[in-house]
Amino acid sequence: MSKFGVFLCRCDGNISDSIDIDRLDKDFKRTNVVDSDQHLCSLQGQQKIKKSIRKHNLDGVVIGACSPNNHGKTFRGCMRDAGLNPYLLEITNIREQCSWVTDDRKSATKKARDLVNASLQRLEHAESLSDFRVDVTNATLVIGGGIAGITAALALAENGVKTYLVEKEPSIGGNTVRVGKVFSPHKMVEECAMCSLSPLMNDVYENHKIELLTDAEIANINGTAGHFNVDVKIKPQSVSERCTSCGECAAVCPIEVPDWWNANTRKRKAIYKPFPQAVPDRYTIDVEHCVKCGQCTKVCKSDAIVLEAEPSLRKIEVGAIVVATGHDEFDPSLRPEYGYGRFKDVVTQLELARIIGVNGPTNGELLRPSDGKPPKRIVMIQCVGSRDEKPHGLPYCSSVCCMVALKHANYITDYFPGTDITVLYTDIRAPGIYENYYRHVQEKGVKFIRGRASDVKLKGGKLYVSAEDTLRGQCLELDADLVVLSTGIKPSHGTIQVGETLGIELSDDLFVKEKHPKLEGASTNTKGIYVCGTAQGPKDITYSVLQADAAALEALSLVGQDYVLIEPLSAFVKDSCNGCGMCVRQCKNNAIKMVDRRATVDPMLCTGGGACVHVCPTAALDLHGCTEAQLEASIRGVLAGKSEKEIRNIAFLDTKIGYAAADNIGAARLRYPPSIRIISVPSVLRLAPQHIELAFQLGADGVFIGQGFEAESCGENFESVETRLNDLSKQVVQRGIDPTRLKIYRVYIPHFVGLHKRLMQFDDKIKETGEIEEELTTP
Amino acid sequence: MYLFKSCVAGTFYPGIERSFRFILNSLNVDYFDDPNQSSCTGFAGHCGVVPPEANLSLNARNLALAYNSGYTNVVCTCPTSYANLKECIGELNDVRTRAAINDVLKAVNYEYKGGVTVYHAAEVLYSLKEILAERAKFSLSEVNIATHHGCHYTKVFYDEVTGGLWEYPTLLDEICAAFSATLVDYSERSSCCGLGFSHLIDVDEYTESTSFRKLESVLAEEPDLIVTMCAGCQLILDRFQRQFEDRLNRVVPVLNVSQLVALLLGADKSRDACLQFATIDVAPLIEKMEAV
Amino acid sequence: MNQEKESEIEALNPESPTFEFLYKKENLIKCLQCGRCTAGCPAAKVFEDYSPREIVRRAQECSEEELAKDPLIWLCGQCYTCNSRCPRNNTPASIILDARNKAFKEGWAPDKIYKNASLLFQSLESNGVTVSPELFEHDLGLLSKLVDHNKLTTLRAELGLPPLNARDIPVPTKALNEIRTILKLTCNKGGLLNDH
């Protein structure tokens, strides 16, 4: 016979005003060790628990206090300190879900007693669990050598961590190389982007803790947080380190192709150096276009060119990964109404950046592409591809294009005075201090018209932009010598590809999805993989760099440890497994694999939702922390002691959102009758028809299932969770349960009032219908 | 295919559908020319005088006729029919709408069951353009062509446009190019022809001003021919050139793509292409074509 | 005839579901008022007061009745440029069409619309086609200016076409009766499904 301790918290009246703790104390003393305190969470309260565990040599503990979301960690710590396995603890929520929501003291006390009893029943089935331990490899991988990747790699290396920086282009630098100028909202001037970037690039090259792999892409990855094995595919290295950058090879190369580094405003050769400050500082061969004529090899004095070079594979081991794969520009030819590609003098902001860049196609002179004349009137069109729900469009705001337009407008009015600039905008987005810069540009006479351009037409050799001045309600046809399209930011091809290879979650827009948009903005949903820069979403250099430092810090705190411990709340396989593989197909996290014709769960990949448990035909799967036995005990527990005319409704809520929303109902002191009994499940996918059926058999009058809105469960998105819930309800109805007694509801934390309303409505309806009829409850 | 006849084409330019039949016949393409089909009501519908349920019920009947005939690819010569039928199919996909409309159809012993796809005749020509070009008796190599695609083809179901993107469709251009034509761009390429439905019978300014802007822009590029895929657009572009003759300085013939392709295949100018219905004389252009 | 009457009663049964074939308000709420529709609108170029952007705003703010009574809804040319350009996938042209339908039903449409568009509608009822050469026996405003009725009928007769019908082969009587039955069921009392 196990010996359990029951510890009840009075919470300074928050609990004891509504619940007769002394009475409960007396009730439970008959079979358990019982104690109570004004504040169990205080150091004194914790001490009381620890002492009692040791003194009575307890086998398990029930704590009746506030929600486990508040002090669950604290109390598990007590267990550990007192030498008891922390998973032998059950916390009964008698505050948020009892004392705060129940009207009269008698009912509240009865409900609290029932809930504690349920916990005691569940505790009978608790199992000791130990955390998983993974030895950490003290090295990191940064994917993408733009300003975010460079920043992250330097931060890691400067903290002494061996860092691999993988870049698919022949030089690091990324889009920052192409933007030319960056703006300063303090000084109201534009500074040279390369002047900030180039020293960082050189630091990367010189830092012996960084190993730079250019012309390289991620081919394969496996492993988990703390230890990843990564295969890096390296393109043929046709120009060796012996290259002195003399440039004689490019002079004789007969092949010309558009130069990406100059936004295709110039041509380069098939053997070329991306840009003067390139790192590594050497020439490279574009193998796609090279015809291997051999001219370059003849003129190379340092014998650096190998035309027949082969691609290679590099295997590396790291503890953490930072994804910094950046963005691409929206292709404006997908919006043909703006004439890009048809009219030479319609260019993108990036092309304008190259035109006014000193190393660009016009050596910094503002000249338009068609006839090389300086444009007198420039019209800039904002939101090209952004905030656009038409096919191929980007529904989101690209967040930097307004500032890019302001930057170029300011620069042009400074260096090419007399140029007339009009910006056609939907909303100018210049947050925070950037507003100063916006005002400054307004003061300089740049015109701002609120209206999204409809089209660009070429009439009599002149460009006309049609837009409505929406503030005046006037249609305009603006003539322009040069039209500049502020094209949006979309996830780069590399971002989508790396997302797939690494198996990390992407957002609807195919950027890498951050773990939490406010609190964990540099983590991904995969442990040990972090993200920064425009790979995670549109943002400017300032925020890319900040996020890169945040991602590096996260990676550092992981690889700085000897080992990592991982909560063992994952699925596990029992001996009865017959190797059918049903669970493998169910698991969207790819956490289950077949090893020797037997399912094996990788606890690092398992997210512990439990959707797999009931697909197993031999009942060989179960879930630590919420086993079949534990779940059944909870159902039995909350229904135990039901009197004849009493109504009881079970609400199954997912721990993360549904249960938290129920806590909010309590915190707001909204009331609901004690007939509603909440059971927390890791995910509603853990529920099978037999659980619902069991509840009805044991006397439940109604079952309410609340799934967190947009919550991920077992790697399935909200829509597929909904589909599965609908299936569940169909199956339950097929088993003879009256469908009006089952309610499925989407829970949304901020709208806990909605959950409250639905719970009340459901309870009212069940009470109207009366206690469940006998024939329905018999199997 | 189920040939869905257009009232505007039938009234003003009977050559459009006669040409299309000529092309199908000369390629031995099987089609069903059903006299039982009603108008799609689109012309009156866009004026706002046809209750939506009448529009849906009549077209549910039309689509059921096609379904029952076994010719489930409905091919329209009119972009307004094309868009209207597609829109009806969308509405009828709603279970409650379909049930209500089928309640109406019960009275005439029809049931709409779906299973029908709608195309425009130009899409058919587009898919056959290489074969058609091989069989051409004449060439467009000396002809400069400006195209007008018709708003109800490109702008209603914009994401289902064949050939190019909806803002710069190349469906007609690619068909003409298959016969070696030179295509000319013009600034009002994607603008409305000016038809304007209710404007034709209510307010004159819209049609006059819009069609003038369109014609002025296209004539400035001096094409030899304007090719359309809509009888309504053809009516406006053809007949308004005469109205504006003094302001435009020159005139250019207008042909439907079906007429043009049929002529290239050797169709009869009068009996098949019915060129006598054109306001701007097409004969000089035909001579130019035949000379090559 | 008796059978037809019975079906009519059945179709007008109050038990049959009623729908609103109206634009979806939830889409309208997303309007950015960016003016892309108006800037591309051919009608807005002709009529200074007319702006699809304003129509969307009015549709958001005012009642269906107010919108249907607004004379501006008759200025749209139904070219759907607004539909193809709206970054938030609104369709001002459809909003207008719904408002026109309501206006026509309630008696708020312009007189010329009642006179001329009703002729189109009658043509549909009598021939099964909306536009036909027969129509040009009447004065249809601008449309009639484009058509020389005598010349049209002569050319058609020369080709062996029915001079007054749009079809090579007119719609057969049985089919015409079906079309008329459908129109009777759906157009009485201003429409079957929009219950008034």
mmCIF file of all heavy atoms in Angstrom, chain B residues 100-133:
data_model
loop_
_atom_site.group_PDB
_atom_site.id
_atom_site.type_symbol
_atom_site.label_atom_id
_atom_site.label_comp_id
_atom_site.label_asym_id
_atom_site.label_seq_id
_atom_site.Cartn_x
_atom_site.Cartn_y
_atom_site.Cartn_z
ATOM 1 N N ALA B 100 -31.966 24.607 -53.855
ATOM 2 C CA ALA B 100 -33.037 25.559 -54.164
ATOM 3 C C ALA B 100 -33.235 25.679 -55.669
ATOM 4 O O ALA B 100 -34.369 25.711 -56.165
ATOM 5 C CB ALA B 100 -32.707 26.921 -53.564
ATOM 6 N N ILE B 101 -32.120 25.741 -56.396
ATOM 7 C CA ILE B 101 -32.223 25.883 -57.853
ATOM 8 C C ILE B 101 -32.782 24.600 -58.463
ATOM 9 O O ILE B 101 -33.607 24.649 -59.379
ATOM 10 C CB ILE B 101 -30.842 26.244 -58.454
ATOM 11 C CG1 ILE B 101 -30.358 27.598 -57.909
ATOM 12 C CG2 ILE B 101 -30.891 26.262 -59.984
ATOM 13 C CD1 ILE B 101 -31.264 28.781 -58.161
ATOM 14 N N ASN B 102 -32.365 23.462 -57.929
ATOM 15 C CA ASN B 102 -32.910 22.202 -58.448
ATOM 16 C C ASN B 102 -34.400 22.080 -58.170
ATOM 17 O O ASN B 102 -35.132 21.441 -58.932
ATOM 18 C CB ASN B 102 -32.140 21.004 -57.880
ATOM 19 C CG ASN B 102 -30.910 20.697 -58.731
ATOM 20 O OD1 ASN B 102 -30.899 20.992 -59.933
ATOM 21 N ND2 ASN B 102 -29.899 20.110 -58.127
ATOM 22 N N ASP B 103 -34.856 22.729 -57.091
ATOM 23 C CA ASP B 103 -36.301 22.790 -56.820
ATOM 24 C C ASP B 103 -37.022 23.479 -57.972
ATOM 25 O O ASP B 103 -38.101 23.061 -58.386
ATOM 26 C CB ASP B 103 -36.547 23.593 -55.536
ATOM 27 C CG ASP B 103 -36.768 22.671 -54.358
ATOM 28 O OD1 ASP B 103 -36.735 21.446 -54.567
ATOM 29 O OD2 ASP B 103 -36.976 23.182 -53.248
ATOM 30 N N VAL B 104 -36.403 24.547 -58.464
ATOM 31 C CA VAL B 104 -36.994 25.280 -59.595
ATOM 32 C C VAL B 104 -36.952 24.394 -60.842
ATOM 33 O O VAL B 104 -37.942 24.275 -61.576
ATOM 34 C CB VAL B 104 -36.229 26.600 -59.852
ATOM 35 C CG1 VAL B 104 -36.807 27.321 -61.065
ATOM 36 C CG2 VAL B 104 -36.283 27.487 -58.622
ATOM 37 N N LEU B 105 -35.795 23.745 -61.059
ATOM 38 C CA LEU B 105 -35.628 22.950 -62.283
ATOM 39 C C LEU B 105 -36.564 21.749 -62.328
ATOM 40 O O LEU B 105 -36.869 21.236 -63.407
ATOM 41 C CB LEU B 105 -34.169 22.474 -62.418
ATOM 42 C CG LEU B 105 -33.111 23.545 -62.705
ATOM 43 C CD1 LEU B 105 -31.810 22.885 -63.153
ATOM 44 C CD2 LEU B 105 -33.552 24.546 -63.757
ATOM 45 N N LYS B 106 -36.998 21.303 -61.159
ATOM 46 C CA LYS B 106 -37.926 20.183 -61.106
ATOM 47 C C LYS B 106 -39.155 20.457 -61.967
ATOM 48 O O LYS B 106 -39.691 19.550 -62.613
ATOM 49 C CB LYS B 106 -38.368 19.958 -59.655
ATOM 50 C CG LYS B 106 -37.969 18.599 -59.116
ATOM 51 C CD LYS B 106 -38.572 18.400 -57.737
ATOM 52 C CE LYS B 106 -37.484 18.208 -56.693
ATOM 53 N NZ LYS B 106 -37.985 18.394 -55.329
ATOM 54 N N ALA B 107 -39.576 21.720 -61.965
ATOM 55 C CA ALA B 107 -40.780 22.102 -62.708
ATOM 56 C C ALA B 107 -40.619 21.843 -64.201
ATOM 57 O O ALA B 107 -41.606 21.711 -64.930
ATOM 58 C CB ALA B 107 -41.086 23.569 -62.454
ATOM 59 N N VAL B 108 -39.387 21.808 -64.689
ATOM 60 C CA VAL B 108 -39.172 21.577 -66.116
ATOM 61 C C VAL B 108 -38.405 20.265 -66.344
ATOM 62 O O VAL B 108 -37.835 20.047 -67.412
ATOM 63 C CB VAL B 108 -38.431 22.769 -66.773
ATOM 64 C CG1 VAL B 108 -39.365 23.974 -66.865
ATOM 65 C CG2 VAL B 108 -37.174 23.133 -66.005
ATOM 66 N N ASN B 109 -38.363 19.455 -65.284
ATOM 67 C CA ASN B 109 -37.759 18.112 -65.361
ATOM 68 C C ASN B 109 -36.261 18.110 -65.677
ATOM 69 O O ASN B 109 -35.779 17.353 -66.503
ATOM 70 C CB ASN B 109 -38.486 17.236 -66.387
ATOM 71 C CG ASN B 109 -39.911 16.970 -65.965
ATOM 72 O OD1 ASN B 109 -40.157 16.718 -64.784
ATOM 73 N ND2 ASN B 109 -40.833 17.083 -66.911
ATOM 74 N N TYR B 110 -35.541 19.017 -65.018
ATOM 75 C CA TYR B 110 -34.073 18.994 -65.133
ATOM 76 C C TYR B 110 -33.500 18.880 -63.732
ATOM 77 O O TYR B 110 -34.157 19.218 -62.753
ATOM 78 C CB TYR B 110 -33.539 20.293 -65.754
ATOM 79 C CG TYR B 110 -33.760 20.410 -67.239
ATOM 80 C CD1 TYR B 110 -34.956 20.923 -67.738
ATOM 81 C CD2 TYR B 110 -32.775 20.012 -68.132
ATOM 82 C CE1 TYR B 110 -35.164 21.042 -69.091
ATOM 83 C CE2 TYR B 110 -32.981 20.125 -69.500
ATOM 84 C CZ TYR B 110 -34.169 20.638 -69.977
ATOM 85 O OH TYR B 110 -34.359 20.747 -71.307
ATOM 86 N N GLU B 111 -32.257 18.391 -63.688
ATOM 87 C CA GLU B 111 -31.540 18.445 -62.417
ATOM 88 C C GLU B 111 -30.101 18.835 -62.713
ATOM 89 O O GLU B 111 -29.480 18.267 -63.613
ATOM 90 C CB GLU B 111 -31.589 17.087 -61.711
ATOM 91 C CG GLU B 111 -31.052 17.187 -60.285
ATOM 92 C CD GLU B 111 -30.837 15.839 -59.616
ATOM 93 O OE1 GLU B 111 -31.229 14.813 -60.202
ATOM 94 O OE2 GLU B 111 -30.249 15.831 -58.523
ATOM 95 N N TYR B 112 -29.607 19.814 -61.986
ATOM 96 C CA TYR B 112 -28.200 20.187 -62.151
ATOM 97 C C TYR B 112 -27.352 19.300 -61.246
ATOM 98 O O TYR B 112 -27.584 19.232 -60.041
ATOM 99 C CB TYR B 112 -27.982 21.663 -61.809
ATOM 100 C CG TYR B 112 -26.519 22.033 -61.828
ATOM 101 C CD1 TYR B 112 -25.838 22.181 -63.041
ATOM 102 C CD2 TYR B 112 -25.797 22.186 -60.650
ATOM 103 C CE1 TYR B 112 -24.484 22.479 -63.063
ATOM 104 C CE2 TYR B 112 -24.443 22.485 -60.666
ATOM 105 C CZ TYR B 112 -23.794 22.627 -61.881
ATOM 106 O OH TYR B 112 -22.455 22.920 -61.901
ATOM 107 N N LYS B 113 -26.373 18.606 -61.857
ATOM 108 C CA LYS B 113 -25.538 17.692 -61.071
ATOM 109 C C LYS B 113 -24.064 18.070 -61.112
ATOM 110 O O LYS B 113 -23.221 17.315 -60.644
ATOM 111 C CB LYS B 113 -25.690 16.253 -61.613
ATOM 112 C CG LYS B 113 -27.087 15.677 -61.488
ATOM 113 C CD LYS B 113 -27.135 14.277 -62.120
ATOM 114 C CE LYS B 113 -28.552 13.787 -62.281
ATOM 115 N NZ LYS B 113 -28.699 12.919 -63.461
ATOM 116 N N GLY B 114 -23.749 19.201 -61.696
ATOM 117 C CA GLY B 114 -22.329 19.560 -61.821
ATOM 118 C C GLY B 114 -21.703 18.806 -62.985
ATOM 119 O O GLY B 114 -22.388 18.432 -63.935
ATOM 120 N N GLY B 115 -20.383 18.570 -62.881
ATOM 121 C CA GLY B 115 -19.714 17.741 -63.881
ATOM 122 C C GLY B 115 -19.477 18.401 -65.225
ATOM 123 O O GLY B 115 -19.264 17.712 -66.226
ATOM 124 N N VAL B 116 -19.554 19.727 -65.263
ATOM 125 C CA VAL B 116 -19.385 20.442 -66.526
ATOM 126 C C VAL B 116 -18.254 21.463 -66.372
ATOM 127 O O VAL B 116 -18.116 22.085 -65.326
ATOM 128 C CB VAL B 116 -20.699 21.168 -66.911
ATOM 129 C CG1 VAL B 116 -20.553 21.911 -68.216
ATOM 130 C CG2 VAL B 116 -21.852 20.175 -66.978
ATOM 131 N N THR B 117 -17.426 21.604 -67.407
ATOM 132 C CA THR B 117 -16.337 22.581 -67.377
ATOM 133 C C THR B 117 -16.564 23.612 -68.474
ATOM 134 O O THR B 117 -17.017 23.257 -69.563
ATOM 135 C CB THR B 117 -14.980 21.891 -67.616
ATOM 136 O OG1 THR B 117 -14.981 20.658 -66.912
ATOM 137 C CG2 THR B 117 -13.829 22.739 -67.112
ATOM 138 N N VAL B 118 -16.229 24.864 -68.184
ATOM 139 C CA VAL B 118 -16.485 25.939 -69.142
ATOM 140 C C VAL B 118 -15.175 26.474 -69.715
ATOM 141 O O VAL B 118 -14.219 26.725 -68.972
ATOM 142 C CB VAL B 118 -17.277 27.085 -68.465
ATOM 143 C CG1 VAL B 118 -17.465 28.250 -69.414
ATOM 144 C CG2 VAL B 118 -18.629 26.564 -67.983
ATOM 145 N N TYR B 119 -15.133 26.613 -71.025
ATOM 146 C CA TYR B 119 -13.968 27.172 -71.714
ATOM 147 C C TYR B 119 -14.417 28.279 -72.653
ATOM 148 O O TYR B 119 -15.589 28.379 -72.999
ATOM 149 C CB TYR B 119 -13.253 26.098 -72.547
ATOM 150 C CG TYR B 119 -12.732 24.944 -71.742
ATOM 151 C CD1 TYR B 119 -13.481 23.780 -71.590
ATOM 152 C CD2 TYR B 119 -11.486 25.028 -71.126
ATOM 153 C CE1 TYR B 119 -13.008 22.724 -70.834
ATOM 154 C CE2 TYR B 119 -11.005 23.967 -70.380
ATOM 155 C CZ TYR B 119 -11.760 22.823 -70.236
ATOM 156 O OH TYR B 119 -11.285 21.788 -69.488
ATOM 157 N N HIS B 120 -13.452 29.083 -73.090
ATOM 158 C CA HIS B 120 -13.733 30.043 -74.153
ATOM 159 C C HIS B 120 -13.185 29.467 -75.463
ATOM 160 O O HIS B 120 -12.156 28.788 -75.461
ATOM 161 C CB HIS B 120 -13.075 31.385 -73.845
ATOM 162 C CG HIS B 120 -13.498 32.457 -74.812
ATOM 163 N ND1 HIS B 120 -12.938 32.582 -76.059
ATOM 164 C CD2 HIS B 120 -14.447 33.420 -74.725
ATOM 165 C CE1 HIS B 120 -13.519 33.586 -76.704
ATOM 166 N NE2 HIS B 120 -14.435 34.117 -75.922
ATOM 167 N N ALA B 121 -13.878 29.777 -76.559
ATOM 168 C CA ALA B 121 -13.463 29.248 -77.860
ATOM 169 C C ALA B 121 -11.998 29.560 -78.166
ATOM 170 O O ALA B 121 -11.286 28.741 -78.762
ATOM 171 C CB ALA B 121 -14.361 29.816 -78.952
ATOM 172 N N ALA B 122 -11.537 30.749 -77.734
ATOM 173 C CA ALA B 122 -10.147 31.114 -78.008
ATOM 174 C C ALA B 122 -9.175 30.164 -77.310
ATOM 175 O O ALA B 122 -8.071 29.915 -77.801
ATOM 176 C CB ALA B 122 -9.887 32.565 -77.578
ATOM 177 N N GLU B 123 -9.597 29.631 -76.159
ATOM 178 C CA GLU B 123 -8.738 28.666 -75.459
ATOM 179 C C GLU B 123 -8.613 27.378 -76.278
ATOM 180 O O GLU B 123 -7.572 26.723 -76.268
ATOM 181 C CB GLU B 123 -9.304 28.353 -74.072
ATOM 182 C CG GLU B 123 -9.259 29.543 -73.131
ATOM 183 C CD GLU B 123 -9.887 29.254 -71.770
ATOM 184 O OE1 GLU B 123 -10.950 28.604 -71.728
ATOM 185 O OE2 GLU B 123 -9.324 29.695 -70.762
ATOM 186 N N VAL B 124 -9.702 27.028 -76.961
ATOM 187 C CA VAL B 124 -9.662 25.844 -77.821
ATOM 188 C C VAL B 124 -8.690 26.092 -78.981
ATOM 189 O O VAL B 124 -7.837 25.258 -79.283
ATOM 190 C CB VAL B 124 -11.076 25.513 -78.348
ATOM 191 C CG1 VAL B 124 -11.025 24.341 -79.309
ATOM 192 C CG2 VAL B 124 -12.030 25.239 -77.199
ATOM 193 N N LEU B 125 -8.814 27.270 -79.592
ATOM 194 C CA LEU B 125 -7.907 27.601 -80.700
ATOM 195 C C LEU B 125 -6.457 27.635 -80.218
ATOM 196 O O LEU B 125 -5.536 27.200 -80.915
ATOM 197 C CB LEU B 125 -8.290 28.948 -81.323
ATOM 198 C CG LEU B 125 -9.706 29.024 -81.894
ATOM 199 C CD1 LEU B 125 -9.980 30.416 -82.477
ATOM 200 C CD2 LEU B 125 -9.911 27.963 -82.977
ATOM 201 N N TYR B 126 -6.270 28.150 -79.002
ATOM 202 C CA TYR B 126 -4.925 28.231 -78.419
ATOM 203 C C TYR B 126 -4.305 26.833 -78.307
ATOM 204 O O TYR B 126 -3.159 26.619 -78.675
ATOM 205 C CB TYR B 126 -5.021 28.888 -77.043
ATOM 206 C CG TYR B 126 -3.714 29.074 -76.325
ATOM 207 C CD1 TYR B 126 -2.970 30.243 -76.490
ATOM 208 C CD2 TYR B 126 -3.217 28.105 -75.451
ATOM 209 C CE1 TYR B 126 -1.775 30.436 -75.820
ATOM 210 C CE2 TYR B 126 -2.020 28.282 -74.772
ATOM 211 C CZ TYR B 126 -1.293 29.456 -74.965
ATOM 212 O OH TYR B 126 -0.112 29.639 -74.303
ATOM 213 N N SER B 127 -5.125 25.885 -77.820
ATOM 214 C CA SER B 127 -4.579 24.542 -77.628
ATOM 215 C C SER B 127 -4.308 23.849 -78.968
ATOM 216 O O SER B 127 -3.532 22.907 -79.037
ATOM 217 C CB SER B 127 -5.535 23.707 -76.773
ATOM 218 O OG SER B 127 -6.729 23.476 -77.505
ATOM 219 N N LEU B 128 -4.972 24.332 -80.030
ATOM 220 C CA LEU B 128 -4.788 23.709 -81.346
ATOM 221 C C LEU B 128 -3.881 24.527 -82.262
ATOM 222 O O LEU B 128 -3.774 24.227 -83.458
ATOM 223 C CB LEU B 128 -6.162 23.540 -82.025
ATOM 224 C CG LEU B 128 -7.188 22.620 -81.336
ATOM 225 C CD1 LEU B 128 -8.548 22.784 -81.984
ATOM 226 C CD2 LEU B 128 -6.729 21.170 -81.393
ATOM 227 N N LYS B 129 -3.260 25.603 -81.720
ATOM 228 C CA LYS B 129 -2.640 26.582 -82.611
ATOM 229 C C LYS B 129 -1.565 26.012 -83.528
ATOM 230 O O LYS B 129 -1.474 26.419 -84.693
ATOM 231 C CB LYS B 129 -2.128 27.809 -81.848
ATOM 232 C CG LYS B 129 -1.082 27.539 -80.778
ATOM 233 C CD LYS B 129 -0.780 28.843 -80.041
ATOM 234 C CE LYS B 129 0.374 28.710 -79.090
ATOM 235 N NZ LYS B 129 0.119 27.750 -77.986
ATOM 236 N N GLU B 130 -0.795 25.060 -83.046
ATOM 237 C CA GLU B 130 0.261 24.507 -83.901
ATOM 238 C C GLU B 130 -0.353 23.730 -85.073
ATOM 239 O O GLU B 130 0.096 23.867 -86.216
ATOM 240 C CB GLU B 130 1.200 23.603 -83.106
ATOM 241 C CG GLU B 130 2.187 24.349 -82.208
ATOM 242 C CD GLU B 130 1.588 24.772 -80.889
ATOM 243 O OE1 GLU B 130 0.509 24.229 -80.530
ATOM 244 O OE2 GLU B 130 2.167 25.650 -80.209
ATOM 245 N N ILE B 131 -1.378 22.926 -84.768
ATOM 246 C CA ILE B 131 -2.044 22.147 -85.818
ATOM 247 C C ILE B 131 -2.705 23.091 -86.826
ATOM 248 O O ILE B 131 -2.602 22.909 -88.045
ATOM 249 C CB ILE B 131 -3.113 21.212 -85.209
ATOM 250 C CG1 ILE B 131 -2.442 20.251 -84.218
ATOM 251 C CG2 ILE B 131 -3.887 20.466 -86.275
ATOM 252 C CD1 ILE B 131 -3.418 19.487 -83.345
ATOM 253 N N LEU B 132 -3.361 24.127 -86.287
ATOM 254 C CA LEU B 132 -4.041 25.087 -87.161
ATOM 255 C C LEU B 132 -3.037 25.792 -88.064
ATOM 256 O O LEU B 132 -3.279 25.993 -89.258
ATOM 257 C CB LEU B 132 -4.816 26.106 -86.321
ATOM 258 C CG LEU B 132 -6.026 25.534 -85.572
ATOM 259 C CD1 LEU B 132 -6.533 26.536 -84.529
ATOM 260 C CD2 LEU B 132 -7.144 25.180 -86.534
ATOM 261 N N ALA B 133 -1.887 26.153 -87.481
ATOM 262 C CA ALA B 133 -0.877 26.870 -88.263
ATOM 263 C C ALA B 133 -0.360 25.995 -89.406
ATOM 264 O O ALA B 133 -0.101 26.472 -90.511
ATOM 265 C CB ALA B 133 0.262 27.307 -87.349
#
